[in-house]
Amino acid sequence: MKASCLIVPMLALMPVAALAQDAPASDANVQISERLAAVLRTGRSVVSANQDLINDPEIGDKGLTPEVFLEQVNERFEKQTGKAILSDTLSPLERELAEAQLAAMRQVIADNQSVINSPGVGFKGFIPAVFARLTNEHFAEAMGATAKVKVTAPLDLVRNRKARPEAWEAEAIKDYLRQADWEKGKPFFEEVDDNGVSVFRMLIPEYYSESCLSCHGSPKGEMDVTGFPKEGGEAGELAGAISVTLRR
């Protein structure tokens, strides 16, 4: 039995011009944040696409090495965007961030080879959400205070304590992303003061797709394959958000 969730990224359908808000934020910060989210989503989608292979108990060595995984990530990203992840047009900072994300993904896949290749085991728990959390942790270690990416959600939907929203995220989700009149797919961003330093914060909403409902749908409270109670969610409802912090 597989557990795979392709969360709908509505942001990909919106031009940058449509993201303008009253809060001061440079186009560069918006572009960088969107790109960080896009690369992370591509990695998650590759994990999702390989779920049947990963969870196949009849196959030991899956051949899903870090090199093969990153090749699939790069191919999928270029197919979706028309540009390579390490495009020649990137700024020095964008290249540094992209290289750190790819290195983090490589490390996660390398660290989990024994899990991925476990023979005789079906569902292994190596799902897109786990991959994203581990990737973001390695990315944070590499980038320090410069940049941080986190997948979070409204507090009532969070399953892993490490993904719980901190104060700014919780407030932005409640006051903006969860409001009935908030434009679907529109991110919320602003410059905030952190001990005298201006920091760019952005929340990019994500929504349940049909593939998410086997774990997050109905009946609410029923245990899913991962051992968590289902949330009773419906396709199109807010599932969470990608939180990006840039300190420049």
Side-chain angles (χ1 to χ4, degrees):
M1 186 174 186
K2 67 178 181 179
S4 176
C5 179
L6 286 175
I7 297 175
V8 180
M10 298 296 295
L11 177 64
L13 306 178
M14 302 178 64
V16 172
L19 305 180
Q21 296 174 195
D22 293 336
S26 69
D27 288 344
N29 283 336
V30 171
Q31 178 176 313
I32 289 170
S33 299
E34 289 179 341
R35 202 168 195 281
L36 286 168
V39 173
L40 179 65
R41 283 168 167 161
T42 303
R44 285 191 319 199
S45 70
V46 171
V47 174
S48 179
N50 282 285
Q51 280 291 284
D52 286 344
L53 174 63
I54 292 171
N55 292 330
D56 191 333
E58 303 301 321
I59 302 176
D61 186 352
K62 308 299 193 302
L64 193 63
T65 64
E67 293 73 24
V68 169
F69 184 85
L70 288 187
E71 182 179 349
Q72 293 182 18
V73 170
N74 279 290
E75 288 178 354
R76 185 173 290 241
F77 186 88
E78 188 162 0
K79 182 177 181 180
Q80 292 174 341
T81 68
K83 296 181 180 180
I85 292 179
L86 296 178
S87 167
D88 292 337
T89 63
L90 297 180
S91 69
L93 176 59
E94 287 175 321
R95 176 168 289 275
E96 181 183 8
L97 294 171
E99 289 177 344
Q101 278 190 304
L102 292 176
M105 291 182 186
R106 172 185 289 275
Q107 188 64 53
V108 172
I109 297 301
D111 289 346
N112 284 276
Q113 284 296 293
S114 62
V115 175
I116 293 170
N117 296 322
S118 296
V121 179
F123 177 65
K124 297 177 176 66
F126 189 72
I127 59 177
V130 171
F131 165 82
R133 176 177 59 79
L134 295 174
T135 294
N136 289 337
E137 289 174 0
H138 284 295
F139 177 77
E141 290 174 3
M143 297 307 304
T146 301
K148 179 182 178 182
V149 182
K150 172 186 174 184
V151 180
T152 188
L155 192 57
D156 58 301
L157 299 181
V158 171
R159 292 188 170 191
N160 189 302
R161 291 184 62 85
K162 292 183 178 181
R164 295 180 68 171
E166 38 94 322
W168 181 88
E169 294 164 339
E171 185 175 349
I173 289 172
K174 177 176 69 72
D175 293 344
Y176 298 96
L177 303 190
R178 262 193 161 177
Q179 292 300 308
D181 60 351
W182 186 255
E183 182 180 345
K184 192 166 187 177
K186 181 180 179 181
F188 173 77
F189 56 78
E190 64 178 349
E191 300 277 352
V192 301
D193 179 80
D194 183 11
N195 295 320
V197 178
S198 182
V199 178
F200 179 80
R201 303 292 310 265
M202 187 169 184
L203 273 179
I204 304 168
E206 299 193 298
Y207 304 89
Y208 289 129
S209 67
E210 290 292 343
S211 66
C212 299
L213 302 185
S214 61
C215 288
H216 300 283
S218 297
K220 184 176 182 179
E222 179 182 83
M223 292 297 176
D224 69 9
V225 67
T226 68
F228 284 92
K230 295 181 179 181
E231 291 83 0
E234 297 182 3
E237 287 184 343
L238 182 72
I242 295 179
S243 175
V244 180
T245 303
L246 301 175
R247 186 187 300 266
R248 302 176 66 187

